[in-house]
Amino acid sequence: MMGKKDYSERSQVQIASLDDLVPSGHLVRKLEEAIDLSFIYDEVKDLYKPYGRESIDPVVLMKIVILQYVFGIPSMRKTIKEIEVNLAYRWYLGYGLYEDIPHFSTFGKNYTRRFKDTDLFQKIFSRILMEVDACGFLDTESLFIDGTHIKASANPHKYQNETMEKEARCYEKELQEEIEKDRLEHGKKPLKEKESTPETINKKVSTTDPDSGWFHKGEHKQVFAYAANTCCDKNNYVIDFEVTAGNVHDSVSFWELYRKVSERVKYPKYYVMDAGYKIPAIARTLIEEGKVPVMPYKRPMTKKGYFRKSDYVYDEYFDCYLCPNNQILKYSTTNRDGYREYKSDGKKCKDCPYQNQCTGSKDHVKVVSRHVWEGYMEKVEEIRHQTGMKEIYQKRKETIERVFADGKEKHGMRYTQYRGLAKVTMELTLLFACMNLKKLAIWKWRKGGLRKPCSFVCIFEPIYLYIKFKMVPGASHQEPFCLQSEEAFKGLLFFLFFNFYPFTTHSQSSLSS
């Protein structure tokens, strides 16, 4: 028989609490159980004045942002609209069915007037990570580092060309000392100091968001973007990150990220990175500090039809190179960039049968360069061929690449909602904190499970049913209830005891935990 829905249920009045309407396994319940956010009160108490109109609860403000990033809602305006109609969201914020939700501009105003230039968001991120560590979910033996680009909120057609000073490398002082030492060992004079005029480069600067950088996305598309260099552990928990303009290379932003990670994680063994980080300075730093850099093979950038650098054999004892025709390339000099130059004899190379595959210079001289820290790069290649390194590197697609994929597909990381490096950093701090919180909540729930909390209705509903019908456990019939019977009164006490006892014991265990 065909069923027909009775829509009178829409207007029916029922007695129910908001707590009963949220399923016991809903994600908001897992988030609420995962961590106590009351520590925020102590962090922001100095940001509020002791007088004036009462403000929105700061924990509620943070919970609104958590809902936005955990559930991937694209904007704060839409988040507020979702909270107005979603009972689970209202329950998480502690708002009743008819209580007014804060305006969507509330968080933005609080950030501008109160939270800006504070470390509140960083403390929230750190507190969640501490909870993850306390639960034993962190596995920091292998750390995975990579970078991804996030499209900036800037028009790619509105920009201006500017000339800027080229920033010095953070390891420039150590490199220059190594260059001077190497030149002295080879009997060369120290290099003259550079002229006072700094090096300059031309860049496209957005007039909408000057902090973003011009990024070539593929072969055709070019946009303004930000770069987020991120570090995660084996279980995909984000350890830390560094935000830069989109035109900053990964090997440049690595150093600040490495400093942050070193402060958080004391004894990591492996640092797993892609070819963008494979430079002598990074290899030297990691190896000298007792870390194991796991990096892939990097194809040499040689012109088509020419010999690769690997075709020239380095003789460490005589400090020279041998070309494929068994001719010697002798040491010439060490340049300012830290590369030793080895040059061939142009007279011998003039009649060489491999000349067209070796060099195209007019004087027929072949130059092979070798970095002063090239020995560390060779150690990286040795590590790459060790047993188990290939399997560790392949974990990247399950860890850091998965973090970026989830962030962009599920949590709105594909585009920035704010402009300016400070606001984008704030946005990513909360986003990664929410990703860690979501994983923490699910893992804790799988480990221990969650029980639906006891409410007013679920306590007194069995009492009401017992009063309406004599429903003694085990009875197969229902009779009108009458308290005049002593036996019925004893049955009521017996039934109430076995209905209240599980709730009281559950409450005590929750408080102790």
Side-chain angles (χ1 to χ4, degrees), residues 41-58:
Y41 295 123
D42 294 331
E43 300 294 344
V44 302
K45 62 182 179 181
D46 296 333
L47 304 177
Y48 289 85
K49 296 179 180 179
Y51 53 86
R53 190 177 68 174
E54 186 175 326
S55 69
I56 302 294
D57 190 328

Side-chain angles (χ1 to χ4, degrees), residues 304-466:
K304 188 176 180 180
Y306 283 81
F307 289 129
R308 294 185 175 183
K309 186 178 178 179
S310 57
D311 295 325
Y312 298 84
V313 181
Y314 179 67
D315 190 323
E316 187 175 0
Y317 183 80
F318 292 103
D319 191 23
C320 65
Y321 272 93
L322 294 176
C323 74
N325 198 27
N326 295 323
Q327 296 298 321
I328 298 175
L329 282 73
K330 296 181 180 180
Y331 171 83
S332 175
T333 186
T334 304
N335 60 30
R336 293 184 183 274
D337 294 326
Y339 286 92
R340 301 171 186 163
E341 296 179 358
Y342 297 84
K343 296 183 179 180
S344 65
D345 188 351
K347 296 179 181 178
K348 295 181 180 179
C349 294
K350 184 177 180 181
D351 300 324
C352 179
Y354 302 114
Q355 181 185 343
N356 294 333
Q357 298 175 261
C358 183
T359 179
S361 63
K362 295 180 180 180
D363 54 0
H364 312 293
V365 175
K366 172 64 179 178
V367 179
V368 177
S369 60
R370 178 182 176 85
H371 200 276
V372 292
W373 292 333
E374 189 70 22
Y376 295 101
M377 297 293 287
E378 293 173 352
K379 289 182 180 179
V380 170
E381 285 298 305
E382 293 176 4
I383 293 171
R384 185 172 68 87
H385 289 94
Q386 291 178 4
T387 304
M389 295 299 106
K390 183 177 180 181
E391 289 73 16
I392 292 177
Y393 183 79
Q394 288 178 345
K395 289 289 183 180
R396 286 183 67 257
K397 62 178 179 291
E398 303 172 12
T399 53
I400 190 66
E401 296 290 354
R402 180 64 181 270
V403 169
F404 293 150
D406 287 349
K408 292 187 177 183
E409 291 296 324
K410 300 178 182 179
H411 304 285
M413 188 180 166
R414 195 173 297 278
Y415 306 93
T416 62
Q417 300 180 23
Y418 301 94
R419 294 172 181 171
L421 188 61
K423 288 186 177 181
V424 173
T425 302
M426 175 274 296
E427 179 184 7
L428 288 180
T429 302
L430 292 175
L431 189 146
F432 284 134
C434 291
M435 290 179 66
N436 286 346
L437 177 59
K438 179 181 177 181
K439 183 179 286 291
L440 170 66
I442 294 174
W443 281 33
K444 288 183 73 173
W445 176 74
R446 288 175 180 173
K447 186 178 180 181
L450 296 175
R451 296 181 182 178
K452 189 174 181 180
C454 176
S455 66
F456 177 87
V457 174
C458 67
I459 290 178
F460 287 95
E461 185 177 11
I463 302 175
Y464 167 75
L465 293 175
Y466 190 88

Side-chain angles (χ1 to χ4, degrees), residues 71-90:
F71 293 96
I73 306 175
S75 66
M76 182 58 70
R77 186 191 296 261
K78 192 170 183 180
T79 301
I80 297 301
K81 288 185 177 180
E82 289 290 333
I83 293 173
E84 290 175 351
V85 298
N86 194 309
L87 298 180
Y89 294 172
R90 282 181 172 270

Side-chain angles (χ1 to χ4, degrees), residues 149-215:
H149 286 85
I150 307 167
K151 188 177 179 182
S153 177
N155 190 332
H157 302 292
K158 293 183 178 180
Y159 64 88
Q160 57 186 10
N161 294 314
E162 293 185 4
T163 302
M164 300 181 178
E165 293 184 5
K166 188 176 181 180
E167 295 183 3
R169 294 167 289 197
C170 61
Y171 53 89
E172 186 68 30
K173 183 179 179 181
E174 297 178 4
L175 179 60
Q176 293 303 322
E177 291 176 356
E178 190 72 26
I179 292 171
E180 185 177 353
K181 180 181 175 181
D182 187 76
R183 290 181 65 87
L184 290 174
E185 290 177 355
H186 286 90
K188 297 287 184 179
K189 295 180 181 180
L191 292 170
K192 295 181 180 180
E193 293 185 5
K194 287 186 178 181
E195 298 179 359
S196 58
T197 305
E199 296 184 18
T200 58
I201 53 176
N202 294 322
K203 286 185 177 181
K204 288 183 178 180
V205 179
S206 171
T207 56
T208 310
D209 186 358
D211 290 343
S212 62
W214 189 248
F215 170 62

Side-chain angles (χ1 to χ4, degrees), residues 59-235:
V59 174
V60 171
L61 287 178
M62 293 301 111
K63 282 187 173 183
I64 291 175
V65 180
I66 289 173
L67 289 174
Q68 178 183 357
Y69 289 125
V70 167
F71 293 96
I73 306 175
S75 66
M76 182 58 70
R77 186 191 296 261
K78 192 170 183 180
T79 301
I80 297 301
K81 288 185 177 180
E82 289 290 333
I83 293 173
E84 290 175 351
V85 298
N86 194 309
L87 298 180
Y89 294 172
R90 282 181 172 270
W91 177 91
Y92 183 62
L93 298 179
Y95 276 66
L97 290 172
Y98 300 103
E99 194 171 357
D100 292 334
I101 306 298
H103 194 262
F104 66 85
S105 64
T106 305
F107 177 77
K109 294 297 182 183
N110 274 270
Y111 171 79
T112 303
R113 300 171 182 174
R114 185 172 285 116
F115 302 143
K116 188 179 179 181
D117 299 327
T118 66
D119 58 350
L120 172 63
F121 308 112
Q122 190 64 35
K123 287 181 177 178
I124 294 174
F125 177 87
S126 300
R127 189 62 174 264
I128 293 174
L129 198 61
M130 287 171 59
E131 183 68 23
V132 173
D133 190 24
C135 294
F137 295 152
L138 280 182
D139 186 351
T140 57
E141 182 184 18
S142 300
L143 297 181
F144 301 83
I145 295 179
D146 200 1
T148 187
H149 286 85
I150 307 167
K151 188 177 179 182
S153 177
N155 190 332
H157 302 292
K158 293 183 178 180
Y159 64 88
Q160 57 186 10
N161 294 314
E162 293 185 4
T163 302
M164 300 181 178
E165 293 184 5
K166 188 176 181 180
E167 295 183 3
R169 294 167 289 197
C170 61
Y171 53 89
E172 186 68 30
K173 183 179 179 181
E174 297 178 4
L175 179 60
Q176 293 303 322
E177 291 176 356
E178 190 72 26
I179 292 171
E180 185 177 353
K181 180 181 175 181
D182 187 76
R183 290 181 65 87
L184 290 174
E185 290 177 355
H186 286 90
K188 297 287 184 179
K189 295 180 181 180
L191 292 170
K192 295 181 180 180
E193 293 185 5
K194 287 186 178 181
E195 298 179 359
S196 58
T197 305
E199 296 184 18
T200 58
I201 53 176
N202 294 322
K203 286 185 177 181
K204 288 183 178 180
V205 179
S206 171
T207 56
T208 310
D209 186 358
D211 290 343
S212 62
W214 189 248
F215 170 62
H216 294 259
K217 188 176 181 181
E219 297 181 0
H220 306 290
K221 195 171 183 179
Q222 299 177 5
V223 296
F224 285 104
Y226 286 93
N229 280 264
T230 311
C231 175
C232 76
D233 73 332
K234 192 176 180 180
N235 294 329

